[in-house]
Amino acid sequence: MTSADITALLKPFDDGSHHLRNRIVMAPMTRRFSPGGVPGPDVAAYYARRASSVGLIITEGVLIDHPSAGSDPDVPHLYGDRALAGWRQVTDAVHEAGGRIAAQLWHVGLARDPEGPLYPGYPALSPSGIDGAGRPAGTAATSEQLAGIRDAYARSAAAARDAGFDGVEVHGAHGYFLDLFLWEATNRRDDEFGGSLEARVRYPASVVAAVRDAVGPDFPIIFRFSQWKNGFWDARIARTPEELGRFLGLLAQAGVDAFHPSTRRFWLPGFEGSDLTLAGWTRRLSGLPTIAVGGLGVPPRPEDPGTVLPENVPPTERVADAAAAIGAGEFDLMAVGRALLTDPDWVTELQEDRIGEMTAYRKPDEDYLDGAARGGAIG
């Protein structure tokens, strides 16, 4: 049993345009279980199992229709008849379970292996051909390549809509392709897409605008961003709330309906000298629905204050904090990742106060993850 008031987390969300059964979002988690980029019946079962209780599912990253988008043949993609038919089975299964689902549009940028099995020899593209430490990495994208990638985002977004998705999330976080434009360290371009904050946002905003044109005015577009980057935990694209407000405003003007600021610990302040979280600042400055994420229901990291051993961490870790923040209007929705991977009934058990039946997350070994992610005995 939990004595904490979690009512706000379980209330429906309705902003006039979007309706969700509760405030819990299934966070995107890369899985690599779609051979040839095609999601199969196991993928449909995996998402449908969780769709019966969460408010919204955001899929794992799905590669857009461009040769530079990725290199892993087991990551699903959003192009080609077989893949789109597979995604139609997924969305049908989710809707039959009473859920809603958005596809995360993904271009991995410098994380692509040019010698991998997908389009071998095609370069890994980035804004300036450098990584976050300023070292040569990949190839600086030409204007023509940028136009092609923008068109690919638009095509894949339209394909997602036609495959029955309820929205898309444009992945602009974690040091992937669009995020490389947002970060000064990796964007040293001297054209219209480099320089000031406004210039660095211009290309990602143009992608959002192209997606908006492709899907129409009423199809939801979420934009995921992060201050941190893979391997660069202290990175910042906005050093102050004022800079964050300018950044968010440009993306909102381009067509973003909701923001998904990715943090490693959702409860920490977004800026020094303020108690407000990054999600809280995003909600305050943009006025748009905002999804918080980071650390809900999983063991704290060793460096977190008050850390206890993982086996002593309850599956409801930080749930009361998330509910309180939603109740106070700090943000609107709360994304849950690994806890739902481990226990697909996590939300139902929370709603029914069956806390003792919850399966606590633990860092999986390969066999355990395979069972959970394939929707088998665990998932």
Side-chain angles (χ1 to χ4, degrees), residues 234-251:
D234 295 329
R236 294 291 180 269
I237 56 175
R239 295 185 180 87
T240 65
E242 187 273 335
E243 288 187 351
L244 180 64
R246 287 154 53 198
F247 163 77
L248 297 171
L250 292 167
L251 290 165

Side-chain angles (χ1 to χ4, degrees), residues 23 56 76 171 195 259:
R23 305 301 183 99
L56 173 68
H171 196 341
F259 287 104

Side-chain angles (χ1 to χ4, degrees), residues 11-315:
K11 284 183 177 179
F13 173 73
D14 195 333
D15 68 349
S17 300
H18 315 102
H19 179 79
L20 304 175
R21 63 158 66 96
N22 58 46
R23 305 301 183 99
I24 300 173
V25 176
M26 180 176 173
M29 292 174 284
T30 299
R31 300 176 60 240
R32 301 183 62 251
F33 290 136
S34 295
V38 178
D42 58 323
V43 177
Y46 167 81
Y47 284 119
R49 177 79 184 274
R50 290 149 178 87
S52 63
S53 60
V54 303
L56 173 68
I57 289 171
I58 303 175
T59 70
E60 62 211 279
V62 185
L63 299 179
I64 62 169
D65 184 13
H66 194 272
S68 66
S71 52
D72 192 324
D74 293 327
V75 169
H77 53 238
L78 260 169
Y79 54 89
D81 292 342
R82 291 181 61 234
L84 297 180
W87 282 120
R88 171 56 77 173
Q89 291 182 340
V90 172
T91 59
D92 284 348
V94 166
H95 294 151
E96 186 175 346
R100 296 174 69 82
I101 183 168
Q104 188 187 70
L105 308 180
W106 196 25
H107 185 302
V108 305
L110 289 175
R112 168 178 162 77
D113 177 4
E115 303 309 317
L118 292 184
Y119 301 100
Y122 201 95
L125 298 180
S126 71
S128 303
I130 57 173
D131 65 14
R135 299 169 299 210
T139 301
T142 66
S143 296
E144 292 76 17
Q145 287 169 327
L146 292 181
I149 292 170
R150 182 170 51 236
D151 291 345
Y153 272 101
R155 281 195 306 276
S156 292
R161 178 201 58 197
D162 295 344
F165 282 99
D166 300 296
V168 293
E169 176 172 273
V170 176
H171 196 341
H174 305 170
Y176 295 119
F177 186 69
L178 294 181
D179 195 18
L180 295 172
F181 281 85
L182 300 173
W183 190 25
E184 281 181 298
T186 49
N187 185 347
R188 304 290 177 83
R189 296 180 73 94
D190 57 8
D191 60 6
E192 70 270 30
F193 299 131
S196 67
L197 173 64
E198 286 75 11
R200 297 196 308 274
V201 179
R202 187 170 289 133
Y203 181 71
S206 75
V207 166
V208 170
V211 168
R212 173 57 69 207
D213 287 344
V215 299
D218 301 320
F219 193 73
I221 299 174
I222 306 164
F223 191 89
R224 192 177 214 207
F225 72 94
S226 67
Q227 297 273 40
W228 64 272
K229 320 300 170 195
N230 287 314
F232 298 90
W233 311 119
D234 295 329
R236 294 291 180 269
I237 56 175
R239 295 185 180 87
T240 65
E242 187 273 335
E243 288 187 351
L244 180 64
R246 287 154 53 198
F247 163 77
L248 297 171
L250 292 167
L251 290 165
Q253 290 173 23
V256 168
D257 294 295
F259 287 104
H260 188 181
S262 177
T263 62
R264 300 173 73 208
R265 306 164 182 84
F266 79 89
W267 58 89
L268 294 182
F271 296 98
E272 187 175 350
S274 167
D275 292 333
L276 198 60
T277 63
L278 184 62
W281 275 111
T282 299
R283 183 69 177 87
R284 176 182 292 184
L285 293 167
S286 72
L288 293 176
T290 299
I291 306 168
V293 70
L296 184 67
V298 299
R301 294 173 175 85
E303 65 269 29
D304 288 338
T307 293
V308 296
L309 294 175
E311 57 265 28
N312 296 327
V313 175

